[in-house]
């Protein structure tokens, strides 16, 4: 290239001659090559090629066997130890409870030595109230306060006027937590008559850390002696001291035991499912109109659905405008009954599987449920299993939810179409 690029028109031949001559001179000076070195190098290269091709052949054979033997229940970790048992969890043995109090956790302070009485009003449905009650126990511990048995919300969407004693075993609640906090059923009358002012009422911000209660709430409690925290749902931070977290779990999974009538009917429904099938699936199906409206999603019901859910959504003035398509792309939309059925069939559950559906009012009624029933004809609800026995509970949505909770807890497989309070609590308990 250097020769072709010369600008002065010099002889290309003479330059070629020079290059050839210098090349010939270099060849004459080159030392002879050892034939033994050449043969050794060739043998080494042949050995490496043979080794490589052997590995490739064995790998190809291994992959082909995997593909040929692959079954619908092939394990995701790549092992091939036979079909997966879809009714069992291979890793369940590695999960253990963590609610047991440690020896170093101090005992509860006596009522007369506490900083005052703490009243709490838990809001929402049954499982939201469970969360609020569990947090109230921990807050009482943080404040060294005597906890009054929490009040339950009677004015929310659920319109249930049940009190704590109608749903939970109050005596068990008090005695089980006696080593952790002091709980009383009411503020003593003598103490209330001696008060110059009514109990101070306040609402704390959501997810408040323990430091907030010590800095902002404790001084008021010490000054007024009786303090009421209203709308107590998610008012305590998730990230708290390990011993306080254990207390939270002790409350939710051990201290909150249902009343005898609820527990007995729930166990009857479990027994009736077991009489029909050795194993069954429970499905927590949240598909109520208000829940769908709150999600901001679209479920294929056309203009009628958009109008009806849009009107319900107006109840919450602070809700932002959401794109239904974007929410679905983000995986934020609850699954429809049909989608739940398809997912179960895809996982390997046959259409003769027995299912128990825990739900409230289903938007669209039987028309919405029909695809799930067709996929799983052995379809049961509490209304189908306990017609007459259920009548005393029908006016009370929280008591009905408690019955569903028991059956879902006892089922062989539990699945949900949303990530709500009941799903989270049951996942932790199971």
């Amino acid at each position: 290239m250097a020769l072709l690029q010369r600008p002065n028109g010099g002889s290309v031949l003479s330059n070629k001659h020079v290059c050839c001559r210098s090349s010939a001179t270099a060849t004459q000076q080159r030392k002879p090559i050892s034939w033994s070195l050449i043969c050794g190098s060739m043998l080494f290269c042949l050995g490496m090629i043979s080794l490589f091709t052997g590995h490739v052949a064995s790998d190809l054979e291994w992959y082909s066997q995997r593909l040929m033997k692959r079954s619908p229940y092939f394990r995701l970790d790549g092992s091939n130890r036979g079909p997966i048992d879809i009714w069992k969890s291979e890793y369940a043995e590695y999960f253990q409870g963590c609610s047991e109090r440690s020896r170093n956790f101090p005992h509860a302070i006596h009522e007369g030595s506490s900083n005052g009485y703490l009243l709490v009003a838990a809001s929402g449905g049954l499982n939201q109230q469970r969360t609020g009650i569990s947090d109230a126990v921990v807050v009482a511990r943080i404040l060294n306060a005597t906890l009054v048995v929490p009040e339950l919300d009677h004015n929310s969407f659920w319109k249930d006027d049940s009190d704590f004693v109608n749903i939970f075993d109050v005596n068990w609640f008090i005695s089980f937590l006696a080593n952790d906090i002091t709980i009383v059923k009411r503020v003593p009358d003598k103490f209330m008559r001696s008060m110059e002012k009514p109990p101070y009422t306040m609402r704390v911000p959501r997810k408040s850390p323990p430091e907030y209660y010590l800095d902002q709430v404790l001084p008021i409690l010490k000054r007024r002696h009786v303090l009421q925290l209203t709308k107590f749902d998610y008012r305590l931070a998730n990230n708290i001291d390990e011993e306080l977290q254990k207390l939270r779990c002790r409350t939710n999974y051990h201290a909150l035991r249902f009343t005898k009538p609820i527990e007995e009917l729930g166990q009857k429904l479990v027994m009736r499912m077991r009489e029909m099938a050795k194993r069954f699936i429970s499905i927590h199906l949240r598909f109520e109109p208000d829940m769908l409206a709150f999600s901001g999603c679209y479920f294929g019901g056309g203009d009628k659905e958009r109008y009806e859910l849009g009107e319900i959504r107006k109840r919450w003035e602070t809700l932002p405008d959401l794109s239904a398509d974007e929410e679905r792309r983000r995986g934020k939309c609850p699954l429809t009954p049909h989608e739940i059925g398809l997912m179960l069939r895809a996982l390997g559950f046959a259409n003769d599987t027995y299912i128990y559906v825990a739900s409230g009012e289903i938007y669209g009624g039987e028309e919405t449920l029909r695809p799930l029933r067709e996929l799983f004809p052995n379809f049961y609800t509490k209304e189908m299993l306990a017609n007459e026995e259920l009548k005393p509970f029908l006016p009370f949505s929280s008591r009905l939810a408690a019955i569903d909770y028991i059956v879902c807890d006892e089922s062989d497989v539990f699945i949900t179409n949303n990530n709500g309070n009941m799903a989270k609590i049951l996942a932790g308990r199971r």
Side-chain angles (χ1 to χ4, degrees):
M1 287 181 66
L3 294 173
L4 294 174
Q5 288 174 354
R6 287 185 62 179
N8 56 7
S11 171
V12 174
L13 288 175
S14 62
N15 281 284
K16 277 186 178 181
H17 178 70
V18 172
C19 289
C20 291
R21 186 174 58 185
S22 61
S23 177
T25 304
T27 302
Q28 292 173 358
Q29 296 175 350
R30 190 175 298 162
K31 294 180 180 181
I33 299 174
S34 171
W35 283 105
S36 61
L37 179 63
I38 295 174
C39 292
S41 300
M42 291 177 66
L43 287 172
F44 176 77
C45 293
L46 287 172
M48 292 299 295
I49 293 171
S50 175
L51 180 65
F52 174 73
T53 54
H55 275 300
V56 170
S58 61
D59 286 346
L60 287 173
E61 181 182 4
W62 182 70
Y63 278 114
S64 65
Q65 289 177 355
R66 285 184 62 189
L67 291 171
M68 290 294 290
K69 295 180 180 179
R70 187 162 186 160
S71 70
Y73 311 114
F74 197 85
R75 297 175 183 271
L76 293 177
D77 62 3
S79 61
N80 190 12
R81 292 173 287 171
I84 296 173
D85 186 349
I86 54 178
W87 290 96
K88 294 181 179 179
S89 172
E90 183 179 354
Y91 306 105
E93 61 182 294
Y94 301 110
F95 290 89
Q96 299 177 354
C98 57
S99 60
E100 187 174 349
R101 75 196 314 269
S102 70
R103 296 177 181 178
N104 298 326
F105 195 56
H107 282 266
I109 292 178
H110 189 268
E111 180 180 352
S113 304
S114 71
N115 289 323
Y117 293 92
L118 181 67
L119 291 81
V120 171
S123 63
L126 172 68
N127 294 289
Q128 187 171 329
Q129 290 171 350
R130 287 183 72 112
T131 303
I133 294 167
S134 302
D135 286 350
V137 169
V138 176
V139 168
R141 174 75 190 203
I142 293 170
L143 299 174
N144 281 332
T146 297
L147 179 66
V148 180
V149 171
E151 299 177 4
L152 302 186
D153 184 8
H154 297 161
N155 302 314
S156 68
F157 170 83
W158 306 100
K159 302 296 185 213
D160 188 332
D161 60 1
S162 297
D163 291 319
F164 190 101
V165 296
N166 303 126
I167 300 174
F168 303 108
D169 185 336
V170 65
N171 293 324
W172 172 262
F173 177 71
I174 294 172
S175 62
F176 187 87
L177 294 171
N179 290 331
D180 298 307
I181 62 167
T182 299
I183 306 174
V184 296
K185 293 182 180 180
R186 55 182 297 177
V187 179
D189 291 337
K190 182 179 179 181
F191 189 88
M192 290 293 289
R193 286 194 297 268
S194 67
M195 290 178 58
E196 297 179 356
K197 298 179 180 179
Y200 187 85
T201 301
M202 67 180 295
R203 183 186 298 181
V204 299
R206 286 198 166 199
K207 303 293 179 69
S208 295
E211 292 77 16
Y212 178 90
Y213 287 94
L214 293 173
D215 295 341
Q216 304 296 325
V217 180
L218 182 58
I220 300 174
L221 176 64
K222 285 183 172 180
R223 188 169 64 250
R224 300 295 292 268
H225 304 296
V226 180
L227 174 64
Q228 183 174 30
L229 302 179
T230 62
K231 203 169 177 60
F232 201 78
D233 56 344
Y234 313 111
R235 304 294 164 173
L236 179 63
N238 291 328
N239 187 17
I240 57 177
D241 176 78
E242 183 178 341
E243 288 300 324
L244 295 178
Q245 194 71 276
K246 288 181 179 180
L247 176 56
R248 212 180 212 166
C249 293
R250 281 199 296 281
T251 304
N252 204 338
Y253 296 132
H254 300 286
L256 289 176
R257 188 166 71 180
F258 294 122
T259 59
K260 189 175 180 180
I262 292 174
E263 191 68 36
E264 287 181 347
L265 183 53
Q267 292 299 335
K268 279 184 180 180
L269 300 194
V270 174
M271 182 180 65
R272 288 167 188 171
M273 290 296 296
R274 296 268 181 233
E275 289 172 351
M276 293 184 289
K278 181 181 177 181
R279 300 178 294 195
F280 71 95
I281 299 173
S282 63
I283 303 173
H284 182 222
L285 190 60
R286 287 296 311 275
F287 215 70
E288 300 92 342
D290 70 301
M291 191 264 193
L292 302 184
F294 189 87
S295 73
C297 299
Y298 173 66
F299 301 93
D303 292 338
K304 180 176 181 292
E305 177 194 311
R306 289 190 177 94
Y307 173 77
E308 291 175 347
L309 298 186
E311 289 298 305
I312 297 173
R313 192 172 172 80
K314 291 178 182 178
R315 297 174 186 171
W316 298 283
E317 297 179 357
T318 58
L319 288 183
D321 291 332
L322 298 175
S323 166
D325 292 338
E326 182 62 27
E327 290 301 290
R328 185 163 292 279
R329 279 194 293 269
R330 293 173 60 209
K332 297 293 185 179
C333 296
L335 298 178
T336 67
H338 190 196
E339 290 169 337
I340 283 284
L342 292 174
M343 180 177 67
L344 288 173
R345 292 298 297 274
L347 287 171
F349 292 100
N351 72 333
D352 61 351
T353 302
Y354 280 71
I355 64 171
Y356 176 89
V357 177
S359 68
E361 176 193 358
I362 298 294
Y363 181 69
E366 286 301 313
E367 185 69 22
T368 302
L369 287 174
R370 186 189 303 142
L372 178 58
R373 286 181 182 272
E374 290 175 351
L375 289 167
F376 294 94
N378 298 315
F379 176 110
Y380 292 92
T381 64
K382 56 183 175 294
E383 291 81 7
M384 297 169 66
L385 295 172
N387 191 10
E388 291 298 321
E389 297 158 299
L390 204 61
K391 284 185 177 179
F393 300 92
L394 291 178
F396 309 102
S397 60
S398 291
R399 300 183 211 184
L400 292 173
I403 294 169
D404 278 337
Y405 181 100
I406 293 170
V407 182
C408 291
D409 186 35
E410 294 287 341
S411 66
D412 298 277
V413 172
F414 170 70
I415 195 166
T416 181
N417 73 326
N418 74 99
N419 195 29
N421 294 306
M422 180 169 170
K424 294 174 181 176
I425 291 174
L426 270 173
R429 175 166 172 78
R430 290 172 65 94

